Amino acid sequence: MKTKKKKIFIEIYKLLKLPHGIVFQASSEYEAADIRRGLGSKIDIFIAEDIAAQEFAENLPNREQTTKAIFLSRISPMKNLDLALNILKKVKEPLLYDIYGPIEDELYWKKCQEVIAELPPNIVVQYKGELTPDQVVSKLSSYDFFFMPTKGENYGHVIAEALCAGLPLVISDTTPWRNLESLGIGWDLPLDNLDVFSEVIDKLSVMSEDEHLEMRQTVLKWAKQKFAQRNAIESNITMFRYAYNKKKGINNAI
């Protein structure tokens, strides 16, 4: 988004040597690589995952006859809702797709509504408004999977919340949440192959109730192990000590 403006800003930023003396925080190796591509290989980057208080789904509801997917995010071009809707044109199985989130771009939302009007009868899409933070995990847990082929996330807190709700993910490979299929918790797919998205959604839709419940239990178990650990907190504490020592001219030995 706004590529030209950002390139000008970054070039001036580097020309004035403003990155000198700064410690950049990246939430993953993927984000660190992005920062280096933009600002150069010599900048000081510390990888410390974002910290977010997490609640977990208390129970996983029985699956209903029609598969239910959820989109939860700002409705803006970066989140790629229009692409998600176009993917649904090729889904063969019945699907209910509910959209939650603030409409930040009215023109973009109008474009999405035009795609909704073109969807086949087996796909039902509803806009359900916004949620308060305390509603998010419980609402997510009432669906069968989370579907958001975002153009990019440096972390993706809503993705973490979907995992805490025990939801399998169907997302793009433009976030730090990778290798999902090998973990048994979802799919991270390339945006240049829309057919693979629709195939995965159909695969989820025809899963037996037992298979789907087993997958959701795997997701919830993985999320509890992931977010209950102290690694993220400890790495953030270490990062602040590192930055403090650097400012004071103290040798950092980590």
Side-chain angles (χ1 to χ4, degrees), residues 63-82:
R63 187 175 184 176
E64 297 179 10
Q65 188 170 0
T66 300
T67 303
K68 300 191 302 180
I70 182 171
F71 173 99
L72 173 56
S73 192
R74 295 178 291 112
I75 297 175
S76 68
M78 194 68 192
K79 303 304 178 180
N80 238 0
L81 176 59
D82 64 319

Side-chain angles (χ1 to χ4, degrees), residues 55 72 100 129-139 161:
E55 61 173 304
L72 173 56
Y100 292 86
E130 300 180 37
L131 296 174
T132 59
D134 61 305
Q135 294 175 312
V136 169
V137 170
S138 61
K139 181 60 67 176
E161 288 169 321

Side-chain angles (χ1 to χ4, degrees), residues 57-197:
E58 295 183 3
N59 51 60
L60 302 175
N62 293 329
R63 187 175 184 176
E64 297 179 10
Q65 188 170 0
T66 300
T67 303
K68 300 191 302 180
I70 182 171
F71 173 99
L72 173 56
S73 192
R74 295 178 291 112
I75 297 175
S76 68
M78 194 68 192
K79 303 304 178 180
N80 238 0
L81 176 59
D82 64 319
L83 185 77
L85 294 167
N86 275 297
I87 287 168
L88 296 184
K89 289 180 179 180
K90 295 189 175 183
V91 171
K92 298 174 183 176
E93 298 296 323
L95 182 75
L96 175 64
Y97 189 42
D98 283 348
I99 299 165
Y100 292 86
I103 299 171
E104 290 194 347
D105 186 326
E106 290 288 349
L107 288 176
Y108 179 73
W109 174 235
K110 184 178 179 181
K111 177 182 176 182
C112 291
Q113 288 176 304
E114 290 170 356
V115 181
I116 291 170
E118 299 169 351
L119 290 171
N122 61 306
I123 307 296
V124 176
V125 175
Q126 304 174 97
Y127 175 63
K128 308 283 278 189
E130 300 180 37
L131 296 174
T132 59
D134 61 305
Q135 294 175 312
V136 169
V137 170
S138 61
K139 181 60 67 176
L140 283 165
S141 68
S142 66
Y143 288 84
D144 298 317
F145 68 94
F146 179 80
F147 176 39
M148 188 180 77
T150 175
K151 290 182 180 178
E153 305 288 330
N154 66 343
Y155 184 74
H157 286 87
V158 69
I159 297 173
E161 288 169 321
L163 291 167
C164 291
L167 280 193
L169 304 175
V170 181
I171 59 174
S172 55
D173 60 1
T174 58
T175 83
W177 306 96
R178 305 285 183 93
N179 305 313
L180 303 178
E181 187 173 7
S182 63
L183 294 168
I185 61 175
W187 293 263
D188 48 293
L189 305 170
L191 290 172
D192 59 0
N193 186 352
L194 302 190
D195 288 346
V196 71
F197 279 93

